[in-house]
Amino acid sequence: MHLAYPAVLAVLLFCVGLYGVLARRNAILVLMSVELMLNAVNLNLVAFDVWLRDRLHSGQALTLFTIAIAAAEIGIGLAIVLAVYRNRGTSAVDDLRDTAERPDGGDDDDDDDGDDGTEGAALDEPESAPDEASPKPQTSPKSQKAEATA
């Protein structure tokens, strides 16, 4: 067997995975792209194991280890993505940069305290109409955007 065929296939798989990691905005698609990259590495390990005719089959043993690590990584990664989606309402990677942000949309460093003791962000939000039967909690613009996209 020629080593070039599986090596070229592994390079193509790795490049597709790398493109997926760099270009995708959805966290689940990024995790799938990482899996493609790990499968390219597994293909190289098995191909070199066969080409070198290793008696211990160390390439195949490393491939099994990599598959176990990848399964654990995808399980933990999906659990984190689901938890973030439940809290934030989105799984877009670009929207998850500010992880220290509070759920109400404010940030501890962005408090604009005036002399009267009121926060500037609370003055910008519209008040609810007094004729409503049950008062609804006020939401921040970020959470309104997340509700509109969901």
Side-chain angles (χ1 to χ4, degrees), residues 102 104 106-107 110-114 116-124:
R102 293 186 305 195
D104 62 353
D107 201 8
D110 293 339
D111 290 343
D112 186 22
D113 293 335
D116 58 353
T118 60
E119 291 185 1
L123 297 176
D124 295 338

Side-chain angles (χ1 to χ4, degrees), residues 3-34:
L3 187 61
Y5 299 128
V8 168
L9 181 61
V11 166
L12 290 175
L13 275 175
F14 194 85
C15 288
V16 169
L18 185 65
Y19 174 75
V21 167
L22 296 176
R24 300 292 176 197
R25 295 178 185 224
N26 191 348
I28 295 175
L29 292 177
V30 170
L31 287 173
M32 289 174 61
S33 299
V34 170

Side-chain angles (χ1 to χ4, degrees), residues 2 6 11 48 53 57 107 117 129 144:
H2 292 287
V11 166
F48 276 99
R53 293 184 174 93
H57 299 291
D107 201 8
Q144 290 173 354

Side-chain angles (χ1 to χ4, degrees), residues 17-70:
L18 185 65
Y19 174 75
V21 167
L22 296 176
R24 300 292 176 197
R25 295 178 185 224
N26 191 348
I28 295 175
L29 292 177
V30 170
L31 287 173
M32 289 174 61
S33 299
V34 170
E35 290 294 321
L36 266 178
M37 293 167 61
L38 286 173
N39 285 330
V41 170
N42 289 341
L43 182 61
N44 267 337
L45 285 171
V46 171
F48 276 99
D49 182 51
V50 170
W51 185 63
L52 294 173
R53 293 184 174 93
D54 188 15
R55 290 186 189 180
L56 295 176
H57 299 291
S58 57
Q60 294 177 17
L62 280 172
T63 298
L64 289 175
F65 182 71
T66 306
I67 289 171
I69 295 296

